[in-house]
């Protein structure tokens, strides 16, 4: 992996190799960090890099800090300007994946609530191809942690042990990704991606009380469906067997973008090809994030203009 020249640690641009955190910090010992994954999309025509929904990512980062009882919140406006400074310092002229983390620093123990540190990193990452085929998914034997155990709706570092175990199991068993049920046996989400299915032209997704992350891409897809496609959407519980008989299904997320699902538990969905509604949503999403359409251009932040 080729690494960028700079990272941003506690608001300062530093050499990549100097972006380090002490081994005794609560984040190292207990996973006491919260983070956001964002993307920047390069637009050749406009010679600019566009960040997608930064304000919403920053707001969720604040919510994560509140839910994890961190002392005081890292200022979202500072984080945004440090992010832009970092991207300019690295002079990225290509698509990037960004990670912003607020973590518990210092020598504290498990009940520490401060002091806070921040780190921002960005690495080149290409967008998924518009023609990528669907993936093969396994219903996981791992259960998504319920809100009574860990706050699934926010992005806390430690939450990812759950997704990781399900993902590794799926890969070892010969699948591309897991579909994880919640403790009530209903569909929750994939590892770092939310889930949609299509039945009779309706777009259906688990409700936010299904132990899912309150995903920004999920919200974007719901808005595209209602505002651009006039499609009926349902946010509700989904059974495993309803997925088997769906016409189409896809995962979505900042990293996953729109990832079509070809089969679940080796049962092909529809004809096993990327479904027509999934394809339309994938195209509209790609045009939106690249700044190709004017639809909701307020969601884009220019890095170089
Ligand atoms: N679920 C989890 C657990 C995630 O980590 C992510 C990625 N952030 C998603 C869903 C998708 O969320 P978003 O659309 O905000 O990236």
């Amino acid at each position: 992996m080729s690494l960028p020249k700079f990272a941003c640690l506690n608001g300062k641009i530093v050499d990549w190799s100097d972006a380090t955190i002490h081994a005794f910090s609560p984040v190292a010992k207990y996973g006491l960090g919260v983070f956001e994954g964002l993307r920047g999309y390069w637009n050749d025509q406009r010679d600019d890099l566009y960040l997608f929904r930064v304000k919403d990512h920053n707001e969720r980062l604040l919510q994560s800090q509140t839910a994890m009882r961190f002392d005081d919140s890292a200022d979202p406006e500072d984080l945004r300007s440090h992010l832009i400074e970092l991207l300019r310092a690295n002079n990225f002229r290509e698509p990037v994946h960004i990670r912003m983390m607020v973590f518990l620093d210092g020598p504290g123990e498990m009940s520490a609530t401060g002091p806070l540190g921040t780190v921002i990193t960005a690495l080149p990452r290409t967008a998924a191809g518009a023609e990528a085929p669907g993936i093969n998914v396994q219903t996981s034997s791992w259960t998504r942690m319920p809100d009574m155990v860990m706050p699934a709706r926010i992005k806390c570092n430690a939450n990812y042990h759950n997704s990781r175990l399900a993902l590794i199991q799926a890969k070892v068993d010969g699948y591309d990704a897991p579909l994880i049920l919640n403790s009530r046996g209903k569909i929750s989400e994939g590892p770092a991606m939310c889930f949609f299915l299509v039945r009779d032209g309706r777009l259906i997704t688990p409700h936010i009380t299904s132990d899912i992350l309150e995903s920004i891409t999920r919200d974007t897809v719901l808005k595209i469906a209602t505002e651009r496609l006039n499609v009926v959407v349902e946010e509700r519980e989904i059974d495993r067997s309803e997925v088997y008989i769906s016409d189409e299904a896809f995962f979505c997320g900042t990293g996953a973008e729109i990832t079509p699902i070809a089969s679940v538990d080796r049962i092909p969905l529809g004809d096993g090809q990327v479904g027509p509604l999934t394809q339309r949503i994938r195209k509209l999403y790609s045009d939106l994030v690249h700044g190709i359409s004017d639809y909701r251009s307020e969601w884009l932040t220019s890095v170089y203009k």
Side-chain angles (χ1 to χ4, degrees):
M1 193 199 319
S2 91
L3 296 169
K5 213 162 167 352
F6 301 113
C8 180
L9 183 68
N10 297 324
K12 303 255 176 324
I13 303 293
V14 295
D15 281 344
W16 180 267
S17 56
D18 291 334
T20 56
I21 300 174
H22 200 281
F24 197 72
S25 60
V27 64
K29 286 184 297 202
Y30 304 110
L32 277 168
V34 295
F35 71 102
E36 282 301 314
L38 296 82
R39 275 195 191 243
Y41 289 90
W42 181 252
N43 183 316
D44 242 344
Q45 269 77 43
R46 302 202 197 153
D47 200 30
D48 203 355
L49 186 62
Y50 290 118
L51 306 179
F52 188 58
R53 297 191 70 168
V54 183
K55 192 164 164 281
D56 299 297
H57 281 283
N58 272 331
E59 197 169 305
R60 190 171 62 188
L61 192 60
L62 279 178
Q63 292 167 352
S64 297
Q65 291 167 68
T66 303
M68 294 311 293
R69 312 188 77 124
F70 286 8
D71 263 353
D72 55 4
S73 306
D75 183 54
E77 191 39 47
D78 284 352
L79 284 173
R80 198 191 64 90
S81 63
H82 294 146
L83 167 59
I84 292 191
E85 201 187 335
L86 173 70
L87 295 168
R88 288 181 178 170
N90 280 310
N91 194 29
F92 286 119
R93 308 195 89 77
E94 62 205 309
V96 290
H97 185 266
I98 297 150
R99 217 182 135 92
M100 295 201 294
M101 177 169 71
V102 178
F103 59 94
L104 288 191
D105 208 348
E109 279 305 330
M110 199 163 54
S111 59
T113 57
L116 300 189
T118 61
V119 65
I120 310 175
T121 50
L123 279 87
R125 193 195 289 185
T126 46
E131 301 310 322
I135 62 170
N136 298 309
V137 167
Q138 171 190 53
T139 308
S140 187
S141 59
W142 290 98
T143 300
R144 175 83 175 153
M145 74 272 172
D147 196 61
M148 289 168 70
V149 175
M150 305 263 282
R153 62 167 29 76
I154 54 125
K155 279 182 82 77
C156 167
N157 294 17
N159 283 0
Y160 287 80
H161 297 297
N162 185 227
S163 312
R164 175 177 176 272
L165 288 168
L167 178 59
I168 290 177
Q169 182 198 16
K171 291 204 182 260
V172 166
D173 291 349
Y175 296 84
D176 299 306
L179 179 58
I180 310 169
L181 305 179
N182 62 26
S183 56
R184 299 184 295 282
K186 306 296 179 185
I187 304 295
S188 66
E189 56 173 36
M193 43 202 189
C194 280
F195 177 82
F196 281 86
L197 64 73
V198 178
R199 280 189 83 185
D200 302 324
R202 288 166 299 135
L203 191 61
I204 305 167
T205 192
H207 197 268
I208 55 165
T209 53
S210 308
D211 299 317
I212 63 170
L213 179 79
E214 292 196 6
S215 152
I216 290 165
T217 319
R218 174 184 176 280
D219 178 69
T220 305
V221 168
L222 288 172
K223 292 214 165 64
I224 288 175
T226 49
E227 296 175 358
R228 300 287 319 267
L229 295 172
N230 235 347
V231 163
V232 176
V233 298
E234 293 177 16
E235 295 176 66
R236 61 161 170 83
E237 287 189 332
I238 300 176
D239 291 323
R240 174 182 188 163
S241 60
E242 189 176 13
V243 180
Y244 292 165
I245 60 168
S246 64
D247 303 321
E248 308 174 27
F250 60 89
F251 283 126
C252 75
T254 299
E257 301 177 299
I258 307 298
T259 298
I261 297 174
S263 72
V264 176
D265 300 336
R266 304 285 178 220
I267 300 175
L269 305 189
D271 61 5
Q273 305 300 309
V274 177
L277 187 54
T278 305
Q279 189 57 24
R280 284 166 78 198
I281 291 172
R282 175 156 71 171
K283 169 86 171 69
L284 290 170
Y285 182 78
S286 173
D287 288 354
L288 162 63
V289 294
H290 284 91
I292 291 170
S293 68
D294 288 333
Y295 170 65
R296 288 210 175 244
S297 53
E298 73 275 12
W299 277 343
L300 303 182
T301 301
S302 151
V303 171
Y304 291 111
K305 302 276 152 79

